Amino acid sequence: MNSIQKELVKSTVPILKTNGNALISYFYQRMLTNSPELKNIFNMANQASGKQQNALTGAVLAYAENIDDPSVLINTLKSIGNKHVSLNIAPEQYDIVGTHLINSIIEVLGADANSDLIEAWTCAYNELASIMIGIEAAMYEKNIQKKGGWKGWRSFKIAKIVSESAEINSFYLKPTDEKEIADFFPGQYISVSTYIPELGHKQPRQYSLSSNSNNEFYRISVKKETGQANPDGIVSNALHNKKVGDELEVSAPAGLFYADPESKNPLVLLSGGVGLTPMMSMVETNKNALQQNPTVWIHSCRNENVHAFKDTIEELNNEKTWLKSYVFYETLPDTETNAFEGRIDLQQIKEDILIKDAKYYICGPAVFIKVQYQSLVGLGVDRENILYEEFGPQLLSLN
């Protein structure tokens, strides 16, 4: 892109800030109408809720604002690339997206979409697509080269189903070809795809791996979204209707939110609801590690009945000197408990979580993450030592 084209792209920033969501909503409607096969890839629940539109609007706006030096967005682009690789996104699909995005700009802006502006945005999109295709090609190659690794979708069967709470089941997944599977870092996720009769097409979802890495199975622990209407929660609910022996399509492990098993840093884990799943993987991995890093785990959920892995964590907490766990229930049980009542209040336990060289991991709903992140910063924790994972596509603003 030349300097004039970059200035043209930057000139659209005010329009994106005020009308970006309308443009992106129109784009998705146009693309999914003309290319319905993409419904097998896009999360239709996030489409219905508007999360996907908000996320893409934010990404397009960030790219326009940083068009002079897109490298400042590299961590965001790598995170998006991980999601794309887990969904088996191919280079030719960038062409489809680009065609509909540029045509949407033309149709929505009307007379304001002059040829110079459209050429500038076409160049900008092509440069971004080239960056993303390069990032994802390297990830695909790394997955292929990894022992037990693969590219795209691979058939797995449900080998075992375990009830972990009143609403969360664990699914143990083994490859139907009975060959080795790729290892993963604790905190990473896989994509699972299955046909949804109500929608008439497949739907993929990302689920955090909830066990330590091994060469035999992947474990995901999935919450049944009781009372959720179509399509929100439809894949999770479909999984809860599956039986042992049923098959699913699974992608290789991915994600940038993980604890390095080789690191000796203490861990402080904060989870809300089903956000405990990647933390479970971290704790199981730490249990099997030689150094057994000092770990503090603070978990919050509605009540004891929906607290998954409760007995497992209590047992570890009682037996292992490296783990200290705290639980916050919105409603306390009638029986005696060590749990706190209400939402997580880090002020109550700050002496135990302000640990030198600790890494802080947060996972849960968006509001939960924002509150805990700001609480940690308020207690003096360096932002660089705080990592978080939100379930879904939304890009959080934590400042």
Side-chain angles (χ1 to χ4, degrees), residues 164-399:
E164 308 291 1
S165 77
E167 57 188 17
I168 295 177
N169 283 353
S170 284
F171 298 85
Y172 290 71
L173 309 177
K174 292 187 176 183
T176 56
D177 60 17
E178 299 184 351
K179 295 181 180 178
E180 196 170 34
I181 56 177
D183 59 9
F184 60 90
F185 290 124
Q188 290 190 304
Y189 58 81
I190 56 174
S191 284
V192 171
S193 179
T194 188
Y195 182 78
I196 304 297
E198 297 93 324
L199 299 180
H201 54 77
K202 293 180 180 179
Q203 274 285 271
R205 292 293 187 274
Q206 280 88 31
Y207 294 105
S208 296
L209 292 154
S210 62
S211 72
N212 62 303
S213 183
N214 64 85
N215 299 124
E216 295 183 11
F217 64 86
Y218 293 138
R219 185 178 74 187
I220 57 174
S221 302
V222 180
K223 177 185 175 185
K224 183 177 177 63
E225 301 291 348
T226 306
Q228 292 284 5
N230 178 38
D232 198 17
I234 197 167
V235 176
S236 296
N237 292 344
L239 287 177
H240 274 258
N241 291 327
K242 298 287 186 182
K243 300 177 181 178
V244 171
D246 286 350
E247 294 186 13
L248 302 167
E249 291 182 317
V250 175
S251 68
L256 300 177
F257 177 82
Y258 59 82
D260 183 355
E262 301 299 321
S263 171
K264 296 183 180 179
N265 296 84
L267 305 175
V268 177
L269 315 176
L270 295 99
S271 55
V274 74
L276 90 173
T277 52
M279 312 309 192
M280 194 65 206
S281 178
M282 294 178 190
V283 168
E284 283 200 359
T285 301
N286 197 38
K287 180 181 71 173
N288 295 320
L290 293 176
Q291 70 267 24
Q292 294 190 334
N293 303 25
T295 302
V296 181
W297 187 355
I298 306 102
H299 180 63
S300 173
C301 59
R302 299 195 312 278
N303 55 57
E304 188 177 48
N305 291 333
V306 299
H307 186 180
F309 301 105
K310 175 181 176 293
D311 294 340
T312 301
I313 298 305
E314 283 185 357
E315 183 179 338
L316 282 173
N317 188 46
N318 292 332
E319 293 181 358
K320 306 297 182 182
T321 58
W322 53 265
L323 176 65
K324 179 174 289 188
S325 67
Y326 293 96
V327 177
F328 287 75
Y329 292 144
E330 293 180 23
T331 304
L332 291 177
D334 295 331
T335 56
E336 185 176 347
T337 178
N338 292 322
F340 292 90
E341 185 173 16
R343 305 288 176 87
I344 290 178
D345 179 4
L346 296 183
Q347 284 286 346
Q348 293 182 260
I349 52 176
K350 62 182 180 180
E351 291 80 9
D352 286 332
I353 64 173
L354 297 179
I355 307 170
K356 182 182 178 182
D357 298 326
K359 295 292 184 182
Y360 296 79
Y361 294 84
I362 313 173
C363 187
V367 173
F368 174 87
I369 295 174
K370 191 164 189 174
V371 169
Q372 304 312 321
Y373 183 96
Q374 292 176 342
S375 295
L376 289 173
V377 171
L379 290 172
V381 176
D382 192 323
R383 295 174 189 268
E384 292 185 359
N385 291 326
I386 306 174
L387 300 93
Y388 59 89
E389 176 105 305
E390 180 190 1
F391 293 148
Q394 190 170 354
L395 301 176
L396 280 171
S397 175
L398 298 178
N399 297 318

Side-chain angles (χ1 to χ4, degrees), residues 51-270:
K51 284 187 176 182
Q52 189 72 61
Q53 292 90 326
N54 292 339
L56 183 56
T57 300
V60 171
L61 176 59
Y63 186 67
E65 290 177 320
N66 294 279
I67 195 68
D68 289 322
D69 183 17
S71 65
V72 301
L73 302 173
I74 191 63
N75 288 335
T76 298
L77 297 180
K78 284 183 178 179
S79 179
I80 295 171
N82 268 269
K83 287 286 181 73
H84 285 182
V85 168
S86 77
L87 295 171
N88 197 32
I89 298 297
E92 55 268 23
Q93 289 166 330
Y94 278 97
D95 293 336
I96 297 173
V97 170
T99 296
H100 290 292
L101 180 61
I102 298 304
N103 281 317
S104 295
I105 292 174
I106 295 171
E107 292 164 15
V108 171
L109 294 185
D112 292 330
N114 61 67
S115 59
D116 289 339
L117 179 63
I118 295 305
E119 184 178 356
W121 261 108
T122 301
C123 289
Y125 176 81
N126 288 338
E127 284 194 4
L128 177 60
S130 179
I131 293 170
M132 293 304 304
I133 289 170
I135 290 173
E136 291 159 21
M139 292 178 180
Y140 280 126
E141 183 62 25
K142 186 175 181 179
N143 282 345
I144 293 172
Q145 296 300 324
K146 183 184 289 188
K147 187 177 181 182
W150 72 96
K151 176 183 178 182
W153 298 106
R154 183 173 172 186
S155 178
F156 277 65
K157 64 181 178 181
I158 300 174
K160 183 168 64 171
I161 301 174
V162 176
S163 175
E164 308 291 1
S165 77
E167 57 188 17
I168 295 177
N169 283 353
S170 284
F171 298 85
Y172 290 71
L173 309 177
K174 292 187 176 183
T176 56
D177 60 17
E178 299 184 351
K179 295 181 180 178
E180 196 170 34
I181 56 177
D183 59 9
F184 60 90
F185 290 124
Q188 290 190 304
Y189 58 81
I190 56 174
S191 284
V192 171
S193 179
T194 188
Y195 182 78
I196 304 297
E198 297 93 324
L199 299 180
H201 54 77
K202 293 180 180 179
Q203 274 285 271
R205 292 293 187 274
Q206 280 88 31
Y207 294 105
S208 296
L209 292 154
S210 62
S211 72
N212 62 303
S213 183
N214 64 85
N215 299 124
E216 295 183 11
F217 64 86
Y218 293 138
R219 185 178 74 187
I220 57 174
S221 302
V222 180
K223 177 185 175 185
K224 183 177 177 63
E225 301 291 348
T226 306
Q228 292 284 5
N230 178 38
D232 198 17
I234 197 167
V235 176
S236 296
N237 292 344
L239 287 177
H240 274 258
N241 291 327
K242 298 287 186 182
K243 300 177 181 178
V244 171
D246 286 350
E247 294 186 13
L248 302 167
E249 291 182 317
V250 175
S251 68
L256 300 177
F257 177 82
Y258 59 82
D260 183 355
E262 301 299 321
S263 171
K264 296 183 180 179
N265 296 84
L267 305 175
V268 177
L269 315 176
L270 295 99

